[in-house]
Amino acid sequence: MKKITEKVKQGRVLISDGAWGTFLHAKGLGPSECPEKWNIDHPEDVRDIATSYINAGADMVETNSFGANSFKLSHYHLSNQASELNEAAAAISRKAAGNSRIVLGSVGPTGKILMMGEVTEEEIYDSFKDQVIALEKGGADAIIIETMSDLDEAKLAIKATRENTSCEIICTMTFERTVNGEYRTMMGVSPSEMLQVLVPEGVDIIGANCGNGIEGMVGIVKEIRSIDKDIPVLVHANAGMPVYQDGKTHFPESPEQTARFVRAIINAGVNIIGGCCGTTPEHIRQIAKVVSELN
């Protein structure tokens, strides 16, 4: 299978998948349950999510492993099962993807803050190392380090992937728009700073996820392209900005509304488009429809 970067060089815009967490909850995941435990307890339900996105037109699907690092798993007393859960996550998505679609091994933040001294760099590195090795063993083609806000943590995840796997490396950070109209992570990192720090670390694909609907992602892509014209850019946008109503968080953007901004974000310079919180297979289907016309 060609690498993602090789596919991008051919000039095609690629389609990624949509939300996993909200999909799992819709299938019955309880608020106190570990999502990654479903890789062992409910593998068919997890595979159905990946299959749904592939059937909607996705060129790649993630794995149910966003929180499968030893620190996050410790909240469920599952740290000693980190490798097992990650390998199972990748194997499930690999089975759904077959040989024609790409599997992205999802790696999220540890939830620990390095500058507070509550954990060492070596401990974070080792946690990411165990995770990415297991994801590659299970069948992941690339590792997507996502929803990052801190550059130091992102660098450790990239290093662990580069030194211990042969996978392509994707890294996305989560930006929100400030009152001054700038985009920053909660740790104050801008898209420009992300590029300047992470590209030299060996990341193959850069981008943004969560925090914005697809319309809000256009400005982030433009800022990235003002600095780097060549690096492949991936965006996983929410289904609009969250609205809290009746005790629940809703994402109000319909698939058709999302599709209206696909041309604009492609014109801004994006190479891979997918969804984050609140997006469904129908969102991906509508994105794929527009992209197909443009490709």
Side-chain angles (χ1 to χ4, degrees):
M1 184 186 299
K2 289 183 179 179
K3 290 188 173 182
I4 303 171
T5 48
E6 292 174 351
K7 292 177 180 287
V8 167
K9 286 179 182 178
Q10 294 176 341
R12 288 183 62 238
V13 175
L14 302 176
I15 307 299
S16 188
D17 62 2
W20 278 72
T22 49
F23 213 146
L24 284 167
H25 285 293
K27 285 181 170 294
L29 176 72
S32 62
E33 283 188 89
C34 174
E36 292 76 19
K37 187 70 159 44
W38 271 44
N39 296 331
I40 296 172
D41 296 342
H42 305 281
E44 293 303 320
D45 286 315
V46 176
R47 189 175 72 173
D48 181 63
I49 295 174
T51 301
S52 295
Y53 286 124
I54 289 169
N55 290 341
D59 298 301
M60 58 195 76
V61 288
E62 292 194 55
T63 56
N64 181 37
S65 57
F66 178 77
N69 61 70
S70 58
F71 298 102
K72 287 286 184 70
L73 291 175
S74 67
H75 300 306
Y76 304 99
H77 308 290
L78 293 171
S79 293
N80 62 341
Q81 291 184 254
S83 293
E84 178 187 6
L85 293 171
N86 281 285
E87 185 175 344
I92 290 168
S93 288
R94 178 80 276 158
K95 189 172 183 179
N99 296 320
S100 61
R101 309 298 172 94
I102 294 164
V103 174
L104 309 180
S106 175
V107 173
T110 61
K112 299 294 183 181
I113 302 176
L114 277 164
M115 67 173 62
M116 300 298 290
E118 59 181 341
V119 67
T120 67
E121 289 190 357
E122 183 179 12
E123 288 171 325
I124 286 185
Y125 174 91
D126 287 343
S127 181
F128 285 138
K129 175 183 175 180
D130 291 343
Q131 187 174 11
V132 299
I133 288 174
L135 286 168
E136 183 178 41
K137 185 178 179 182
D141 301 297
I143 300 297
I144 180 165
I145 300 156
E146 54 184 344
T147 324
M148 289 287 167
S149 61
D150 177 56
L151 287 171
D152 290 331
E153 184 177 28
K155 285 167 61 177
L156 288 168
I158 292 167
K159 182 180 180 183
T161 306
R162 188 184 68 241
E163 293 182 346
N164 298 284
T165 77
S166 59
C167 294
E168 283 185 289
I169 306 172
I170 306 168
C171 188
T172 63
M173 303 193 85
T174 298
F175 303 95
E176 294 186 4
R177 195 167 188 174
T178 69
V179 293
N180 297 322
E182 300 171 328
Y183 290 97
R184 293 285 188 274
T185 72
M186 68 177 185
M187 301 296 285
V189 180
S190 69
S192 300
E193 291 167 335
M194 171 184 69
L195 275 172
Q196 292 162 3
V197 173
L198 298 187
V199 172
E201 293 294 318
V203 69
D204 298 297
I205 300 165
I206 207 85
N209 78 295
C210 206
N212 292 275
I214 191 169
E215 181 180 12
M217 292 291 192
V218 174
I220 295 171
V221 175
K222 286 181 177 178
E223 182 173 342
I224 291 172
R225 285 290 176 237
S226 72
I227 303 295
D228 192 318
K229 304 294 184 185
D230 300 316
I231 191 166
V233 176
L234 175 149
V235 161
H236 283 169
N238 289 345
M241 298 303 291
V243 176
Y244 190 74
Q245 186 178 9
D246 299 327
K248 294 182 179 180
T249 300
H250 301 271
F251 292 87
E253 192 170 275
S254 71
E256 292 74 20
Q257 289 172 319
T258 295
R260 290 176 196 159
F261 294 97
V262 170
R263 290 176 183 270
I265 202 164
I266 290 174
N267 289 337
V270 80
N271 304 104
I272 305 164
I273 309 173
C276 202
C277 301
T279 55
T280 66
E282 187 57 31
H283 284 83
I284 301 306
R285 185 173 288 106
Q286 291 299 322
I287 292 171
K289 181 179 178 182
V290 177
V291 169
S292 178
E293 294 170 358
L294 296 175
N295 279 337

